[in-house]
Amino acid sequence: MAATPHRHLLQPCKNPAISSSETLKPSSSFSLSSNPSIPLIRRRLPTFRCDFQNRRKWMNVDHHISKLNPIQIVPNSRRFQMSSNQENSVEFSKKVCLFYCPETKALAERIAAQSDAIQLRSISWRTFEDGFPNLFISNAQGIRGKHVAFLASFSSPGVIFEQLSVIYALPKLFVASFKLVLPFFPTGTSERMEDEGDVATAFTLARILSNIPISREGPTSLVTFDIHALQERFYFGDNILPCFESGIPLLKKKLQQLPDSDNITIAFPDDGAWKRFHKQLQHFPMIVCAKVREGDQRIVRLKEGDPTGRHVVIVDDLVQSGGTLIECQKVLAAHGAAKVSAYVTHGIFPNKSWERFKPDTAGCPEEGMTHFWITDSCPLTVKMVKNRPPFEVISLAGSIAAALQI
């Protein structure tokens, strides 16, 4: 595939220092021809440097002449490389200072590896003798006027308070903007009020986050992935800007890489999962299961779709005990599925419930799963299931790095 010119070079260069083609002198000789079959680059790729104006400031970028088409100019700089396999290419031009909590250190490092524009910053996480947090933000004056983000993990009530203390402090350090990245919104399953006296803790946490101090450029932005109940987006107040992302695009890329990618069928364990994800997966054949009550038990049954001979991938936003997924797996295998795999964005697995899932090593889908994909939204789970089939971790690092540029 021929390289395409960078969009900033489609316009005449506005730098008076570079106003003619004489400035663009490659280090190796080459000739131009109307016949694309003639090899035009005789030695190494010629390289030159061009200054151009972008977003009210000058930038210096190395470029080379395309080997396939020497008329086209391609940027060498990592900062301007576009990802051809992303639906929306992202330009990493905004420098961001990324802070993180101890749980998310590994994920933060993977995010920073996506772009030189993302710089990791540290926080000292200590405690006083009475157990309360003793926190210190290193080089606080050094982030004045800069774009700042914090990568959080509310894995338990015990760590929320110390992270909230940092989250409330960072915007008040004269930063240009503040973005909170909370990959998993933990109280998402606690939004229902069925009896008088039930407390919707999802609403409580949303109100706490809605009162984060504003930065110099305005309200805080919140980035979260596949929040459990769609109505929870309306729990947030006007002083925060929620950005709801999804891990499904990452799953789709993974499915395209499978050797049996043309035999994939998507299964949803209930109507709620279908409502959430079916539009993103509409080019796949679909199966919908349903939970029905028989006496004191809730049983999973096949509602619609045919799994016969197919590699069926169960898709949901999260898993806790895993009971529903296992029942769904058994139903699909009983109806003729050749393979059964699963994907959830958030693998919570309290009390080591991940141990219930076994790999399919003998071609028996009723006994085990071929793949179980989770993301790294829950860092503690990632540590437990690492290198344990059938689990495979899909990182959100690229998606988060792109969201930091919004």
Side-chain angles (χ1 to χ4, degrees):
M1 182 182 293
T4 55
H6 194 275
R7 63 184 179 88
H8 289 294
L9 298 179
L10 296 178
Q11 302 296 329
C13 187
K14 298 180 180 180
N15 189 346
I18 301 179
S19 58
S20 68
S21 60
E22 295 180 355
T23 308
L24 308 179
K25 296 179 179 179
S27 57
S28 299
S29 62
F30 64 100
S31 60
L32 302 180
S33 171
S34 60
N35 188 349
S37 64
I38 299 177
L40 299 174
I41 305 301
R42 301 174 190 263
R43 300 187 185 94
R44 58 179 181 173
L45 291 177
T47 300
F48 60 90
R49 177 157 289 185
C50 176
D51 293 330
F52 61 92
Q53 194 173 19
N54 178 38
R55 297 186 182 181
R56 302 184 301 278
K57 55 186 177 183
W58 292 100
M59 296 182 180
N60 188 277
V61 181
D62 289 331
H63 292 74
H64 68 262
I65 306 299
S66 169
K67 181 183 290 187
L68 297 178
N69 187 350
I71 299 299
Q72 297 178 341
I73 302 172
V74 182
N76 288 340
S77 174
R78 176 183 177 190
R79 182 177 178 184
F80 289 94
Q81 287 178 355
M82 299 297 180
S83 174
S84 60
N85 59 2
Q86 287 186 352
E87 294 181 2
N88 297 314
S89 297
V90 177
E91 186 177 297
F92 292 101
S93 59
K94 181 171 73 174
K95 291 186 177 181
V96 179
C97 299
L98 179 61
F99 292 87
Y100 54 89
C101 66
E103 286 182 20
T104 59
K105 180 180 180 180
L107 177 55
E109 291 173 346
R110 288 192 288 269
I111 295 171
Q114 302 293 314
S115 169
D116 294 333
I118 301 174
Q119 303 172 351
L120 293 184
R121 296 297 181 94
S122 62
I123 296 174
S124 177
W125 301 87
R126 301 168 297 182
T127 57
F128 292 107
E129 293 183 357
D130 58 2
F132 277 86
N134 180 11
L135 310 171
F136 180 75
I137 300 173
S138 304
N139 192 21
Q141 292 185 343
I143 62 175
R144 289 181 177 179
K146 296 185 177 181
H147 301 288
V148 172
F150 180 76
L151 180 61
S153 176
F154 292 174
S155 58
S156 68
V159 300
I160 292 179
F161 176 70
E162 62 181 7
Q163 292 183 54
L164 284 176
S165 299
V166 171
I167 291 167
Y168 270 60
L170 285 171
K172 301 174 74 173
L173 295 176
F174 297 96
V175 301
S177 68
F178 180 64
K179 188 178 264 81
L180 171 62
V181 182
L182 183 62
F184 172 50
F185 188 74
T187 57
T189 59
S190 304
E191 84 288 351
R192 298 182 183 89
M193 294 184 62
E194 298 178 351
D195 296 321
E196 187 68 28
D198 285 343
V199 177
T201 54
F203 182 64
T204 304
L205 183 57
R207 284 196 295 179
I208 292 174
L209 298 180
S210 298
N211 285 281
I212 297 173
I214 63 173
S215 59
R216 292 173 59 181
E217 291 188 2
T220 293
S221 299
L222 168 67
V223 178
T224 192
F225 287 78
D226 292 321
I227 197 167
H228 180 67
L230 297 179
Q231 67 268 22
E232 290 173 6
R233 66 181 59 206
F234 303 110
Y235 290 178
F236 297 92
D238 295 336
N239 290 329
I240 193 168
L241 304 175
C243 178
F244 298 100
E245 299 288 339
S246 177
I248 295 299
L250 302 176
L251 170 65
K252 290 164 66 176
K253 292 177 186 177
K254 184 67 67 173
L255 296 180
Q256 292 170 1
Q257 299 169 2
L258 296 179
D260 58 349
S261 59
D262 57 346
N263 193 43
I264 298 294
T265 293
I266 301 298
F268 301 105
D270 51 40
D271 288 331
W274 178 85
K275 291 178 181 178
R276 172 184 300 279
F277 296 125
H278 79 277
K279 289 185 178 180
Q280 298 184 69
L281 297 164
Q282 57 187 348
H283 58 287
F284 290 98
M286 294 185 186
I287 295 171
V288 181
C289 298
K291 300 175 186 177
V292 296
R293 186 177 296 277
E294 290 188 0
D296 295 334
Q297 295 182 335
R298 297 186 70 182
I299 300 175
V300 176
R301 289 185 175 175
L302 195 64
K303 182 178 178 181
E304 58 183 78
D306 183 11
T308 304
R310 307 288 291 182
H311 181 178
V312 183
V313 180
I314 307 169
V315 175
D316 208 350
D317 63 313
L318 59 82
V319 58
Q320 297 220 32
S321 67
T324 299
L325 289 185
I326 291 176
E327 290 300 317
C328 191
Q329 170 193 352
K330 293 179 179 178
V331 169
L332 293 169
H335 283 78
K339 299 179 183 178
V340 177
S341 297
Y343 165 85
V344 296
T345 303
H346 312 296
I348 305 169
F349 296 118
N351 302 317
K352 295 185 178 181
S353 57
W354 53 268
E355 294 178 342
R356 303 177 63 181
F357 294 91
K358 309 298 181 183
D360 180 7
T361 57
C364 299
E366 66 274 7
E367 299 295 333
M369 289 191 172
T370 304
H371 306 279
F372 197 138
W373 294 287
I374 64 173
T375 74
D376 46 5
S377 66
C378 300
L380 298 182
T381 298
V382 171
K383 292 181 180 179
M384 291 188 293
V385 304
K386 186 177 181 180
N387 300 323
R388 292 179 180 269
F391 293 100
E392 300 175 36
V393 179
I394 304 175
S395 181
L396 296 173
S399 300
I400 294 175
L404 293 179
Q405 295 296 311
I406 298 175

